[in-house]
Amino acid sequence: MAAGATYEPIATTTLASAANAITFSSIPATYTDLVVVFNALCSTGGTTGQMLLNGATTGYSATFLRGTGAAAASNRFTSDSSLTVMYQALSSTIPSHARINIFNYAGSTYKTVLIEDAQDYNGSGQVMRSVGLYQSTSAITSIKLQASGGSNLSIGTSATLYGIKAA
Amino acid sequence: MWWAQLLNNIAALFSGGVAASTSSFESIATTTLSAGTGWVNFNSIPQTYSSLQVRILGRSQQTGSSAGAVSMLINSVQTNSYAFHQLNGDGSAASGTGTASTNRMDIGVVPTDGYASNIFGTLIVDIHNYTSTTNNKTVRCFGGFDGNGSGTVRLGSGFINATTAVTSLSFSNANNSFDWLTGSTFALYGIKGA
C-alpha cells in the first residue's frame, strides 16, 4: 500500500477588522477532499453562518440533525441560496465553530458536504450535524464564508482551508 | 508534548473527524470503482498508526430512491460479533436505534440508484486503537446524503467483540445485497500518534 503525508493547510484567514466574508479563491484542484475549519463571531443579532461555493447563490440543500439542549430534531432546507454551516444565531463574544468536509470537490458530480457545527452559549446554543448538497458539476475553486443577511463577521473570526489527498 | 496530544484527543472526541495534523495524517490506499462491485476491501493494513480514517463517496445499485445501508466487516469476520448504534435525522425527525450481536457493522447510508446519477453519499469512519491486541475495537461514523427534499444524516458508533488487531476492512451495501455503483471511492488514511 502506498503511503504519504496529507491533510495539508492551504490557507488561513483571521479578520483584523470586521468584514462581510472570508473567501478562499483559486483553490488548487490537486486534492481529493477539502476541509474548512471556521470560527465565527458576529455582532448582528439573528445571523447564522453560511457558505457559498464558487460564488453561487442557487442550488443548495441540506438535511440537519440538531440537539438544542432540550430536544433532538431534524429538518431540511431545499433549493436554498447558500449552505447553512452554523445553524444557531452567531454570538458577538463566543465563537461558533464549524468543520466542513467537501468531498470530491474537483470532480464532475454534484458536491456532497458534511458539516459539524458546535455552538454553546452557556445556557443556550446547539450542536448540529448535517449533510449538504450543491447541485453543480463544476470543480470548486472558491469558498465564501459569511454571516446571513449580509452582516459583517467580527474581528477575530477565522477560517483555515485544508486539502486531503488520497493515494 | 503530552498535553498537546491530550487536547488533540479531546477535540477529536467532540468532532466528526480526528483533529488535523499535517504531519500525522497519511494516505494509505484508495479504491475508485470503474464498474459495479460488491465488497470493497483494504487488506494488509500497516500497523504503524494510532487510528484509521476511511472516507467514502458512494452510491448503491439498489433500485428506488431510499437510503442504502453501508456495512463494514473487520478482518472479514462474519459472525455475530458486532454491535452498532445510530442517531438519524431524516429531515423531519431525529431518531435513534441500535443492534447487538449481529454479523456486520452498519456504519452509514448512501443514495440508491433512483436518485439523480450525480448525487453521492459521503461517510467518514474513524477506527481507534486498531492495532491493539488486548482491547475490543470501537468505531465512530458520520455521514449521509441529501437529495434536495430527501436524504439522511447519520451519526454512528460500532463495536466488534474482538481483540485482534485490525488488518483488513471491507465495505458493502446492505451486507453485500447490492453492488456499489461506478464512481464510488474509498480512501483509507492512517493517523500517527506522538
Side-chain angles (χ1 to χ4, degrees):
Chain A
M1 292 185 176
T6 182
Y7 214 135
E8 300 172 353
I10 299 171
T12 297
T13 298
T14 301
L15 295 182
S17 59
N20 66 0
I22 291 175
T23 301
F24 296 116
S25 302
S26 303
I27 298 170
T30 51
Y31 298 96
T32 306
D33 301 332
L34 297 175
V35 176
V36 181
V37 176
F38 182 30
N39 291 286
L41 295 164
C42 181
S43 59
T44 304
T47 57
T48 59
Q50 301 176 333
M51 180 173 74
L52 301 181
L53 300 174
N54 290 345
T57 55
T58 61
Y60 302 97
S61 56
T63 301
F64 301 93
L65 177 62
R66 301 180 291 116
T68 64
S74 179
N75 63 304
R76 64 167 44 99
F77 296 157
T78 60
S79 302
D80 210 352
S81 57
S82 66
L83 269 178
T84 297
V85 298
M86 293 169 174
Y87 197 97
Q88 184 89 2
L90 303 177
S91 164
S92 62
T93 57
I94 303 175
S96 297
H97 172 82
R99 184 191 302 251
I100 306 157
N101 286 270
I102 307 170
F103 287 74
N104 194 30
Y105 72 103
S108 57
T109 60
Y110 290 171
K111 307 305 180 292
T112 298
V113 178
L114 292 178
I115 301 163
E116 307 151 50
D117 170 28
Q119 297 177 272
D120 194 287
Y121 302 148
N122 190 25
S124 63
Q126 63 181 283
V127 57
M128 182 273 282
R129 298 291 183 268
S130 69
V131 56
L133 179 70
Y134 172 46
Q135 294 185 56
S136 171
T137 57
S138 300
I140 303 303
T141 58
S142 75
I143 296 170
K144 184 177 184 180
L145 303 165
Q146 63 184 23
S148 60
S151 300
N152 275 350
L153 296 164
S154 300
I155 294 172
T157 294
S158 66
T160 298
L161 175 66
Y162 297 90
I164 297 177
K165 185 173 179 58
Chain B
M1 287 176 283
W2 67 269
W3 54 269
Q5 183 64 41
L6 178 61
L7 287 174
N8 229 21
N9 290 341
I10 292 171
L13 284 172
F14 289 94
S15 69
V18 173
S21 174
T22 56
S23 61
S24 65
F25 196 95
E26 295 185 354
S27 176
I28 299 173
T30 302
T31 297
T32 299
L33 301 182
S34 56
T37 302
W39 289 105
V40 172
N41 304 301
F42 292 115
N43 298 314
S44 303
I45 296 172
Q47 301 295 295
T48 53
Y49 301 97
S50 293
S51 302
L52 299 174
Q53 184 173 106
V54 183
R55 300 172 68 92
I56 298 172
L57 181 82
R59 279 175 62 90
S60 168
Q61 179 200 39
Q62 183 177 350
T63 58
S65 297
S66 61
V70 178
S71 305
M72 182 173 78
L73 299 181
I74 292 175
N75 294 341
S76 301
V77 171
Q78 289 186 290
T79 59
N80 291 339
S81 301
Y82 300 93
F84 54 87
H85 285 83
Q86 301 167 346
L87 180 59
N88 299 299
D90 64 1
S92 60
S95 63
T97 185
T99 301
S101 302
T102 188
N103 62 354
R104 83 277 182 187
M105 195 182 295
D106 283 353
I107 55 173
V109 290
V110 292
T112 54
D113 201 23
Y115 280 94
S117 60
N118 278 320
I119 297 176
F120 281 70
T122 53
L123 180 60
I124 299 172
V125 186
D126 289 300
I127 305 159
H128 300 290
N129 200 24
Y130 73 104
T131 61
S132 173
T133 56
T134 55
N135 294 332
N136 297 318
K137 309 301 182 296
T138 298
V139 174
R140 181 180 55 190
C141 324
F142 170 39
F145 69 96
D146 186 274
N148 192 28
S150 59
T152 299
V153 56
R154 175 173 292 176
L155 302 179
S157 65
F159 157 82
I160 181 170
N161 186 12
T163 57
T164 311
V166 177
T167 58
S168 76
L169 297 170
S170 305
F171 301 91
S172 73
N173 278 290
N175 203 24
N176 205 29
S177 298
F178 309 99
D179 278 357
W180 293 103
L181 287 177
T182 300
S184 296
T185 299
F186 305 77
L188 173 66
Y189 299 89
I191 300 117
K192 288 184 176 176

